[in-house]
Short mmCIF file of all heavy atoms in Angstrom, two decimals:
data_model
loop_
_atom_site.label_atom_id
_atom_site.label_comp_id
_atom_site.label_asym_id
_atom_site.label_seq_id
_atom_site.Cartn_x
_atom_site.Cartn_y
_atom_site.Cartn_z
N MET A 270 39.83 138.52 -166.80
CA MET A 270 38.76 139.30 -166.20
C MET A 270 37.60 139.47 -167.19
O MET A 270 36.46 139.35 -166.82
CB MET A 270 39.33 140.66 -165.76
CG MET A 270 38.31 141.57 -165.15
SD MET A 270 37.76 140.90 -163.59
CE MET A 270 36.62 142.12 -163.10
N LYS A 271 37.94 139.76 -168.46
CA LYS A 271 36.89 139.95 -169.46
C LYS A 271 36.14 138.66 -169.71
O LYS A 271 34.94 138.67 -169.95
CB LYS A 271 37.50 140.47 -170.76
CG LYS A 271 37.98 141.88 -170.68
CD LYS A 271 38.52 142.36 -172.01
CE LYS A 271 39.03 143.78 -171.90
NZ LYS A 271 39.55 144.26 -173.19
N LYS A 272 36.86 137.54 -169.63
CA LYS A 272 36.23 136.24 -169.86
C LYS A 272 35.23 135.94 -168.74
O LYS A 272 34.13 135.45 -169.00
CB LYS A 272 37.30 135.16 -169.93
CG LYS A 272 36.82 133.84 -170.44
CD LYS A 272 37.98 132.89 -170.63
CE LYS A 272 37.54 131.65 -171.36
NZ LYS A 272 38.64 130.73 -171.59
N LYS A 273 35.59 136.25 -167.50
CA LYS A 273 34.69 136.02 -166.38
C LYS A 273 33.46 136.92 -166.48
O LYS A 273 32.34 136.50 -166.19
CB LYS A 273 35.41 136.28 -165.06
CG LYS A 273 36.43 135.24 -164.72
CD LYS A 273 37.09 135.55 -163.39
CE LYS A 273 38.17 134.53 -163.07
NZ LYS A 273 38.82 134.82 -161.78
N LEU A 274 33.67 138.16 -166.90
CA LEU A 274 32.55 139.08 -167.06
C LEU A 274 31.61 138.61 -168.16
O LEU A 274 30.39 138.68 -168.01
CB LEU A 274 33.07 140.49 -167.37
CG LEU A 274 32.03 141.59 -167.47
CD1 LEU A 274 31.29 141.73 -166.14
CD2 LEU A 274 32.70 142.90 -167.82
N LEU A 275 32.17 138.10 -169.25
CA LEU A 275 31.35 137.58 -170.34
C LEU A 275 30.55 136.37 -169.89
O LEU A 275 29.35 136.25 -170.18
CB LEU A 275 32.24 137.21 -171.54
CG LEU A 275 31.52 136.60 -172.73
CD1 LEU A 275 30.55 137.61 -173.33
CD2 LEU A 275 32.52 136.14 -173.76
N ILE A 276 31.19 135.47 -169.15
CA ILE A 276 30.48 134.29 -168.64
C ILE A 276 29.36 134.70 -167.69
O ILE A 276 28.25 134.18 -167.76
CB ILE A 276 31.48 133.33 -167.95
CG1 ILE A 276 32.40 132.71 -169.00
CG2 ILE A 276 30.75 132.24 -167.18
CD1 ILE A 276 33.55 131.92 -168.43
N CYS A 277 29.63 135.67 -166.84
CA CYS A 277 28.62 136.17 -165.90
C CYS A 277 27.44 136.79 -166.66
O CYS A 277 26.29 136.56 -166.32
CB CYS A 277 29.23 137.17 -164.94
SG CYS A 277 28.09 137.80 -163.72
N ALA A 278 27.76 137.58 -167.69
CA ALA A 278 26.70 138.21 -168.48
C ALA A 278 25.85 137.16 -169.19
O ALA A 278 24.63 137.29 -169.26
CB ALA A 278 27.31 139.17 -169.49
N VAL A 279 26.48 136.11 -169.72
CA VAL A 279 25.73 135.06 -170.40
C VAL A 279 24.83 134.32 -169.41
O VAL A 279 23.67 134.03 -169.70
CB VAL A 279 26.70 134.08 -171.11
CG1 VAL A 279 25.97 132.83 -171.58
CG2 VAL A 279 27.38 134.77 -172.28
N LEU A 280 25.35 134.02 -168.23
CA LEU A 280 24.53 133.34 -167.22
C LEU A 280 23.37 134.22 -166.77
O LEU A 280 22.25 133.73 -166.59
CB LEU A 280 25.39 132.94 -166.03
CG LEU A 280 26.41 131.82 -166.29
CD1 LEU A 280 27.26 131.60 -165.05
CD2 LEU A 280 25.71 130.55 -166.70
N CYS A 281 23.63 135.51 -166.59
CA CYS A 281 22.56 136.43 -166.19
C CYS A 281 21.51 136.55 -167.30
O CYS A 281 20.32 136.60 -167.01
CB CYS A 281 23.14 137.80 -165.87
SG CYS A 281 24.13 137.83 -164.37
N GLY A 282 21.96 136.59 -168.53
CA GLY A 282 21.02 136.64 -169.64
C GLY A 282 20.16 135.39 -169.71
O GLY A 282 18.97 135.46 -169.98
N GLY A 283 20.77 134.23 -169.46
CA GLY A 283 20.01 132.98 -169.43
C GLY A 283 18.96 132.97 -168.32
O GLY A 283 17.84 132.52 -168.53
N ALA A 284 19.34 133.49 -167.16
CA ALA A 284 18.38 133.58 -166.06
C ALA A 284 17.24 134.53 -166.41
O ALA A 284 16.08 134.27 -166.08
CB ALA A 284 19.08 134.04 -164.79
N PHE A 285 17.57 135.62 -167.10
CA PHE A 285 16.55 136.59 -167.49
C PHE A 285 15.57 135.97 -168.49
O PHE A 285 14.36 136.13 -168.36
CB PHE A 285 17.22 137.83 -168.09
CG PHE A 285 16.27 138.90 -168.50
CD1 PHE A 285 15.63 139.66 -167.55
CD2 PHE A 285 16.00 139.14 -169.83
CE1 PHE A 285 14.75 140.66 -167.91
CE2 PHE A 285 15.13 140.12 -170.22
CZ PHE A 285 14.49 140.89 -169.25
N VAL A 286 16.09 135.25 -169.48
CA VAL A 286 15.23 134.59 -170.47
C VAL A 286 14.36 133.54 -169.79
O VAL A 286 13.17 133.42 -170.09
CB VAL A 286 16.09 133.96 -171.59
CG1 VAL A 286 15.27 133.04 -172.48
CG2 VAL A 286 16.74 135.06 -172.42
N ALA A 287 14.93 132.79 -168.86
CA ALA A 287 14.15 131.79 -168.14
C ALA A 287 13.03 132.45 -167.33
O ALA A 287 11.91 131.95 -167.28
CB ALA A 287 15.05 130.96 -167.23
N ALA A 288 13.34 133.59 -166.70
CA ALA A 288 12.32 134.29 -165.91
C ALA A 288 11.21 134.82 -166.80
O ALA A 288 10.04 134.83 -166.41
CB ALA A 288 12.96 135.43 -165.12
N LYS A 289 11.55 135.27 -168.00
CA LYS A 289 10.54 135.78 -168.93
C LYS A 289 9.66 134.65 -169.47
O LYS A 289 8.51 134.88 -169.82
CB LYS A 289 11.20 136.51 -170.10
CG LYS A 289 11.81 137.81 -169.73
CD LYS A 289 10.77 138.80 -169.30
CE LYS A 289 11.38 140.13 -168.98
NZ LYS A 289 10.39 141.09 -168.50
N ASN A 290 10.18 133.43 -169.53
CA ASN A 290 9.42 132.30 -170.05
C ASN A 290 8.71 131.51 -168.97
O ASN A 290 8.18 130.44 -169.24
CB ASN A 290 10.33 131.38 -170.87
CG ASN A 290 10.76 132.01 -172.16
OD1 ASN A 290 9.99 132.75 -172.77
ND2 ASN A 290 11.98 131.75 -172.57
N VAL A 291 8.70 132.01 -167.75
CA VAL A 291 8.07 131.30 -166.64
C VAL A 291 6.58 131.13 -166.89
O VAL A 291 6.00 130.10 -166.57
CB VAL A 291 8.35 132.03 -165.31
CG1 VAL A 291 7.45 131.53 -164.20
CG2 VAL A 291 9.80 131.86 -164.92
N ASP A 292 5.94 132.13 -167.52
CA ASP A 292 4.51 132.02 -167.78
C ASP A 292 4.20 130.86 -168.72
O ASP A 292 3.23 130.12 -168.51
CB ASP A 292 3.98 133.33 -168.37
CG ASP A 292 4.04 134.47 -167.38
OD1 ASP A 292 3.94 134.19 -166.17
OD2 ASP A 292 4.16 135.62 -167.82
N LEU A 293 5.02 130.67 -169.72
CA LEU A 293 4.83 129.54 -170.64
C LEU A 293 5.04 128.22 -169.91
O LEU A 293 4.25 127.28 -170.06
CB LEU A 293 5.81 129.65 -171.81
CG LEU A 293 5.77 128.51 -172.83
CD1 LEU A 293 4.42 128.49 -173.53
CD2 LEU A 293 6.90 128.68 -173.82
N ILE A 294 6.06 128.14 -169.09
CA ILE A 294 6.33 126.93 -168.31
C ILE A 294 5.19 126.68 -167.33
O ILE A 294 4.76 125.56 -167.14
CB ILE A 294 7.68 127.05 -167.59
CG1 ILE A 294 8.81 127.12 -168.62
CG2 ILE A 294 7.89 125.90 -166.63
CD1 ILE A 294 10.14 127.51 -168.03
N GLN A 295 4.69 127.77 -166.74
CA GLN A 295 3.60 127.65 -165.78
C GLN A 295 2.36 127.05 -166.45
O GLN A 295 1.69 126.20 -165.87
CB GLN A 295 3.27 129.02 -165.19
CG GLN A 295 2.15 129.01 -164.19
CD GLN A 295 1.84 130.40 -163.67
OE1 GLN A 295 2.44 131.37 -164.11
NE2 GLN A 295 0.92 130.49 -162.75
N GLU A 296 2.04 127.49 -167.64
CA GLU A 296 0.87 126.96 -168.34
C GLU A 296 1.00 125.47 -168.63
O GLU A 296 0.03 124.73 -168.56
CB GLU A 296 0.66 127.72 -169.65
CG GLU A 296 0.18 129.13 -169.47
CD GLU A 296 0.07 129.88 -170.79
OE1 GLU A 296 0.17 129.23 -171.84
OE2 GLU A 296 -0.11 131.09 -170.75
N LYS A 297 2.21 125.03 -168.95
CA LYS A 297 2.42 123.62 -169.28
C LYS A 297 2.44 122.72 -168.04
O LYS A 297 2.01 121.59 -168.09
CB LYS A 297 3.71 123.46 -170.07
CG LYS A 297 3.63 124.07 -171.44
CD LYS A 297 4.83 123.73 -172.26
CE LYS A 297 4.77 124.42 -173.59
NZ LYS A 297 4.05 123.68 -174.60
N LEU A 298 2.96 123.24 -166.92
CA LEU A 298 3.13 122.40 -165.73
C LEU A 298 2.02 122.56 -164.69
O LEU A 298 1.77 121.64 -163.92
CB LEU A 298 4.47 122.71 -165.07
CG LEU A 298 5.72 122.40 -165.88
CD1 LEU A 298 6.95 122.85 -165.12
CD2 LEU A 298 5.80 120.93 -166.21
N PHE A 299 1.40 123.72 -164.67
CA PHE A 299 0.46 124.01 -163.58
C PHE A 299 -0.88 123.36 -163.84
O PHE A 299 -1.50 123.56 -164.87
CB PHE A 299 0.29 125.51 -163.45
CG PHE A 299 -0.51 125.92 -162.26
CD1 PHE A 299 -0.06 125.65 -160.98
CD2 PHE A 299 -1.70 126.58 -162.41
CE1 PHE A 299 -0.79 126.03 -159.88
CE2 PHE A 299 -2.44 126.96 -161.32
CZ PHE A 299 -1.98 126.69 -160.05
N ASN A 300 -1.32 122.55 -162.89
CA ASN A 300 -2.61 121.89 -163.05
C ASN A 300 -3.56 122.19 -161.90
O ASN A 300 -4.54 121.51 -161.70
CB ASN A 300 -2.42 120.38 -163.19
CG ASN A 300 -1.71 119.79 -162.00
OD1 ASN A 300 -1.45 120.48 -161.03
ND2 ASN A 300 -1.40 118.51 -162.07
N GLY A 301 -3.26 123.21 -161.09
CA GLY A 301 -4.15 123.61 -160.01
C GLY A 301 -3.80 123.03 -158.67
O GLY A 301 -4.32 123.46 -157.65
N LYS A 302 -2.91 122.06 -158.63
CA LYS A 302 -2.51 121.46 -157.37
C LYS A 302 -1.27 122.17 -156.84
O LYS A 302 -0.42 122.60 -157.60
CB LYS A 302 -2.20 119.97 -157.56
CG LYS A 302 -3.39 119.15 -157.97
CD LYS A 302 -3.02 117.71 -158.14
CE LYS A 302 -4.22 116.92 -158.60
NZ LYS A 302 -3.89 115.52 -158.86
N ASP A 303 -1.18 122.27 -155.56
CA ASP A 303 -0.04 122.89 -154.90
C ASP A 303 0.23 124.30 -155.43
O ASP A 303 1.37 124.68 -155.70
CB ASP A 303 1.22 122.03 -155.06
CG ASP A 303 1.04 120.64 -154.48
OD1 ASP A 303 0.36 120.53 -153.44
OD2 ASP A 303 1.56 119.69 -155.07
N GLN A 304 -0.82 125.08 -155.56
CA GLN A 304 -0.68 126.42 -156.12
C GLN A 304 0.21 127.31 -155.25
O GLN A 304 1.04 128.04 -155.78
CB GLN A 304 -2.06 127.06 -156.28
CG GLN A 304 -2.01 128.45 -156.88
CD GLN A 304 -3.39 129.05 -157.05
OE1 GLN A 304 -4.38 128.46 -156.63
NE2 GLN A 304 -3.45 130.20 -157.66
N ASP A 305 0.06 127.25 -153.94
CA ASP A 305 0.85 128.10 -153.07
C ASP A 305 2.34 127.77 -153.16
O ASP A 305 3.18 128.67 -153.22
CB ASP A 305 0.39 127.96 -151.62
CG ASP A 305 -1.00 128.52 -151.40
OD1 ASP A 305 -1.39 129.41 -152.17
OD2 ASP A 305 -1.68 128.07 -150.47
N GLU A 306 2.67 126.50 -153.19
CA GLU A 306 4.07 126.09 -153.30
C GLU A 306 4.66 126.53 -154.64
O GLU A 306 5.78 127.02 -154.70
CB GLU A 306 4.19 124.57 -153.15
CG GLU A 306 5.60 124.07 -153.08
CD GLU A 306 6.32 124.49 -151.82
OE1 GLU A 306 5.67 124.71 -150.79
OE2 GLU A 306 7.56 124.58 -151.87
N PHE A 307 3.88 126.37 -155.70
CA PHE A 307 4.36 126.77 -157.02
C PHE A 307 4.58 128.28 -157.09
O PHE A 307 5.59 128.75 -157.62
CB PHE A 307 3.36 126.35 -158.10
CG PHE A 307 3.79 126.72 -159.49
CD1 PHE A 307 4.75 125.95 -160.14
CD2 PHE A 307 3.26 127.82 -160.12
CE1 PHE A 307 5.16 126.29 -161.42
CE2 PHE A 307 3.67 128.16 -161.39
CZ PHE A 307 4.62 127.39 -162.04
N LEU A 308 3.66 129.06 -156.53
CA LEU A 308 3.80 130.51 -156.56
C LEU A 308 4.98 130.98 -155.71
O LEU A 308 5.65 131.95 -156.06
CB LEU A 308 2.50 131.18 -156.09
CG LEU A 308 1.32 131.00 -157.04
CD1 LEU A 308 0.06 131.60 -156.44
CD2 LEU A 308 1.60 131.59 -158.40
N LYS A 309 5.26 130.27 -154.61
CA LYS A 309 6.41 130.60 -153.79
C LYS A 309 7.70 130.37 -154.56
O LYS A 309 8.60 131.22 -154.56
CB LYS A 309 6.41 129.78 -152.50
CG LYS A 309 7.53 130.12 -151.55
CD LYS A 309 7.38 129.41 -150.22
CE LYS A 309 7.87 127.98 -150.41
NZ LYS A 309 7.97 127.25 -149.15
N ILE A 310 7.79 129.24 -155.26
CA ILE A 310 8.97 128.94 -156.07
C ILE A 310 9.10 129.95 -157.21
O ILE A 310 10.20 130.41 -157.53
CB ILE A 310 8.90 127.50 -156.60
CG1 ILE A 310 9.00 126.51 -155.45
CG2 ILE A 310 9.98 127.24 -157.64
CD1 ILE A 310 8.69 125.10 -155.82
N LEU A 311 7.99 130.33 -157.81
CA LEU A 311 7.99 131.30 -158.89
C LEU A 311 8.51 132.66 -158.42
O LEU A 311 9.31 133.30 -159.09
CB LEU A 311 6.57 131.44 -159.45
CG LEU A 311 6.37 132.34 -160.64
CD1 LEU A 311 7.10 131.77 -161.85
CD2 LEU A 311 4.89 132.46 -160.94
N ASP A 312 8.07 133.10 -157.24
CA ASP A 312 8.55 134.36 -156.69
C ASP A 312 10.05 134.32 -156.42
O ASP A 312 10.77 135.28 -156.70
CB ASP A 312 7.79 134.73 -155.41
CG ASP A 312 6.36 135.16 -155.68
OD1 ASP A 312 6.09 135.55 -156.84
OD2 ASP A 312 5.55 135.11 -154.75
N VAL A 313 10.53 133.22 -155.87
CA VAL A 313 11.96 133.08 -155.60
C VAL A 313 12.75 133.12 -156.90
O VAL A 313 13.80 133.77 -156.98
CB VAL A 313 12.24 131.79 -154.80
CG1 VAL A 313 13.73 131.51 -154.73
CG2 VAL A 313 11.66 131.90 -153.41
N ALA A 314 12.25 132.47 -157.93
CA ALA A 314 12.93 132.45 -159.22
C ALA A 314 12.99 133.85 -159.84
O ALA A 314 14.01 134.26 -160.39
CB ALA A 314 12.24 131.48 -160.17
N ARG A 315 11.91 134.60 -159.72
CA ARG A 315 11.90 135.97 -160.27
C ARG A 315 12.83 136.89 -159.50
O ARG A 315 13.54 137.70 -160.10
CB ARG A 315 10.47 136.52 -160.25
CG ARG A 315 9.62 135.90 -161.32
CD ARG A 315 8.26 136.53 -161.40
NE ARG A 315 7.52 135.94 -162.52
CZ ARG A 315 6.21 135.92 -162.59
NH1 ARG A 315 5.48 136.44 -161.63
NH2 ARG A 315 5.63 135.37 -163.63
N VAL A 316 12.86 136.78 -158.18
CA VAL A 316 13.78 137.59 -157.39
C VAL A 316 15.22 137.23 -157.70
O VAL A 316 16.08 138.11 -157.84
CB VAL A 316 13.48 137.44 -155.88
CG1 VAL A 316 14.57 138.06 -155.04
CG2 VAL A 316 12.14 138.07 -155.55
N ALA A 317 15.50 135.94 -157.86
CA ALA A 317 16.86 135.51 -158.21
C ALA A 317 17.25 136.04 -159.58
O ALA A 317 18.39 136.49 -159.78
CB ALA A 317 16.95 133.98 -158.18
N GLY A 318 16.35 136.02 -160.53
CA GLY A 318 16.63 136.56 -161.85
C GLY A 318 16.91 138.05 -161.82
O GLY A 318 17.84 138.54 -162.46
N ASP A 319 16.12 138.79 -161.03
CA ASP A 319 16.37 140.22 -160.89
C ASP A 319 17.71 140.49 -160.22
O ASP A 319 18.44 141.40 -160.60
CB ASP A 319 15.26 140.89 -160.08
CG ASP A 319 13.95 140.95 -160.84
OD1 ASP A 319 14.00 140.86 -162.09
OD2 ASP A 319 12.90 141.10 -160.20
N PHE A 320 18.03 139.69 -159.22
CA PHE A 320 19.31 139.86 -158.52
C PHE A 320 20.48 139.58 -159.45
O PHE A 320 21.49 140.28 -159.42
CB PHE A 320 19.37 138.93 -157.30
CG PHE A 320 20.65 139.06 -156.52
CD1 PHE A 320 20.90 140.18 -155.75
CD2 PHE A 320 21.60 138.06 -156.57
CE1 PHE A 320 22.08 140.31 -155.06
CE2 PHE A 320 22.79 138.17 -155.87
CZ PHE A 320 23.03 139.30 -155.10
N LEU A 321 20.36 138.56 -160.29
CA LEU A 321 21.44 138.22 -161.20
C LEU A 321 21.56 139.23 -162.35
O LEU A 321 22.64 139.40 -162.90
CB LEU A 321 21.23 136.82 -161.78
CG LEU A 321 21.41 135.67 -160.80
CD1 LEU A 321 21.01 134.37 -161.45
CD2 LEU A 321 22.84 135.61 -160.29
N MET A 322 20.49 139.90 -162.69
CA MET A 322 20.51 140.81 -163.83
C MET A 322 20.86 142.24 -163.46
O MET A 322 20.99 143.09 -164.34
CB MET A 322 19.15 140.79 -164.54
CG MET A 322 18.91 139.55 -165.34
SD MET A 322 20.13 139.26 -166.62
CE MET A 322 19.79 140.61 -167.71
N TRP A 323 21.07 142.56 -162.18
CA TRP A 323 21.33 143.95 -161.83
C TRP A 323 22.58 144.52 -162.48
O TRP A 323 22.57 145.69 -162.87
CB TRP A 323 21.33 144.17 -160.31
CG TRP A 323 22.60 143.76 -159.62
CD1 TRP A 323 22.84 142.59 -159.00
CD2 TRP A 323 23.80 144.53 -159.49
NE1 TRP A 323 24.10 142.58 -158.50
CE2 TRP A 323 24.72 143.76 -158.78
CE3 TRP A 323 24.18 145.80 -159.92
CZ2 TRP A 323 26.00 144.21 -158.49
CZ3 TRP A 323 25.45 146.25 -159.62
CH2 TRP A 323 26.34 145.46 -158.90
N PRO A 324 23.66 143.74 -162.67
CA PRO A 324 24.82 144.35 -163.34
C PRO A 324 24.51 144.75 -164.79
O PRO A 324 24.96 145.79 -165.26
CB PRO A 324 25.88 143.26 -163.31
CG PRO A 324 25.46 142.31 -162.26
CD PRO A 324 23.98 142.39 -162.22
N VAL A 325 23.72 143.95 -165.48
CA VAL A 325 23.36 144.25 -166.86
C VAL A 325 22.50 145.50 -166.92
O VAL A 325 22.73 146.39 -167.75
CB VAL A 325 22.65 143.05 -167.50
CG1 VAL A 325 22.16 143.39 -168.90
CG2 VAL A 325 23.56 141.84 -167.52
N HIS A 326 21.53 145.62 -166.03
CA HIS A 326 20.68 146.80 -166.00
C HIS A 326 21.48 148.04 -165.62
O HIS A 326 21.24 149.13 -166.14
CB HIS A 326 19.51 146.61 -165.04
CG HIS A 326 18.56 145.55 -165.47
ND1 HIS A 326 17.88 145.59 -166.67
CD2 HIS A 326 18.16 144.42 -164.88
CE1 HIS A 326 17.11 144.54 -166.79
NE2 HIS A 326 17.26 143.80 -165.71
N TYR A 327 22.43 147.90 -164.70
CA TYR A 327 23.26 149.02 -164.27
C TYR A 327 24.11 149.54 -165.44
O TYR A 327 24.16 150.74 -165.68
CB TYR A 327 24.15 148.58 -163.10
CG TYR A 327 25.04 149.66 -162.57
CD1 TYR A 327 24.50 150.69 -161.79
CD2 TYR A 327 26.39 149.68 -162.85
CE1 TYR A 327 25.32 151.69 -161.30
CE2 TYR A 327 27.21 150.68 -162.36
CZ TYR A 327 26.67 151.68 -161.58
OH TYR A 327 27.47 152.67 -161.11
N VAL A 328 24.74 148.62 -166.15
CA VAL A 328 25.57 149.03 -167.29
C VAL A 328 24.70 149.62 -168.40
O VAL A 328 25.08 150.61 -169.02
CB VAL A 328 26.40 147.83 -167.81
CG1 VAL A 328 27.09 148.17 -169.11
CG2 VAL A 328 27.42 147.40 -166.76
N THR A 329 23.54 149.05 -168.63
CA THR A 329 22.63 149.56 -169.66
C THR A 329 22.19 150.98 -169.31
O THR A 329 22.06 151.82 -170.20
CB THR A 329 21.41 148.65 -169.79
OG1 THR A 329 21.85 147.32 -170.06
CG2 THR A 329 20.50 149.10 -170.91
N ALA A 330 21.96 151.26 -168.05
CA ALA A 330 21.55 152.59 -167.63
C ALA A 330 22.66 153.62 -167.83
O ALA A 330 22.41 154.80 -168.04
CB ALA A 330 21.11 152.58 -166.16
N LEU A 331 23.92 153.18 -167.76
CA LEU A 331 25.04 154.10 -167.93
C LEU A 331 25.33 154.43 -169.39
O LEU A 331 25.96 155.44 -169.68
CB LEU A 331 26.30 153.52 -167.29
CG LEU A 331 26.27 153.38 -165.77
CD1 LEU A 331 27.56 152.73 -165.30
CD2 LEU A 331 26.10 154.74 -165.11
N LEU A 332 24.88 153.57 -170.30
CA LEU A 332 25.14 153.80 -171.71
C LEU A 332 24.31 154.97 -172.23
O LEU A 332 23.18 155.17 -171.79
CB LEU A 332 24.84 152.54 -172.52
CG LEU A 332 25.71 151.33 -172.21
CD1 LEU A 332 25.20 150.13 -172.98
CD2 LEU A 332 27.17 151.60 -172.56
N PRO A 333 24.86 155.74 -173.16
CA PRO A 333 24.10 156.90 -173.67
C PRO A 333 22.94 156.49 -174.54
O PRO A 333 22.83 155.47 -175.08
CB PRO A 333 25.13 157.67 -174.49
CG PRO A 333 26.23 156.73 -174.77
CD PRO A 333 26.17 155.64 -173.74
#
């Protein structure tokens, strides 16, 4: 059980780091074309990152 929780936490942390670095990725890849499609994918990625990180935020809130 602890191993699964650790793996989940690592995956959630990776998703969080990826979501935080989206702006850097956006600057490198975005060239003005297909802006609406890119922003839609960006929003989905951010919502997915928030959804995956809720257990970490919940546990952090419970800590003194």
Side-chain angles (χ1 to χ4, degrees):
M270 179 67 180
K271 289 183 181 180
K272 192 173 190 179
K273 289 181 183 179
L274 184 61
L275 178 64
I276 291 171
C277 182
V279 169
L280 291 176
C281 291
F285 181 73
V286 169
K289 289 295 183 183
N290 290 325
V291 166
D292 293 331
L293 178 64
I294 295 168
Q295 180 181 3
E296 289 176 11
K297 292 188 183 273
L298 296 177
F299 187 63
N300 58 6
K302 296 180 182 176
D303 301 323
Q304 181 179 6
D305 293 334
E306 187 68 27
F307 181 78
L308 292 175
K309 183 173 79 171
I310 293 169
L311 184 65
D312 288 339
V313 170
R315 286 185 176 156
V316 169
D319 290 339
F320 180 73
L321 290 173
M322 286 302 293
W323 79 263
V325 175
H326 294 301
Y327 180 75
V328 171
T329 304
L331 293 177
L332 296 174

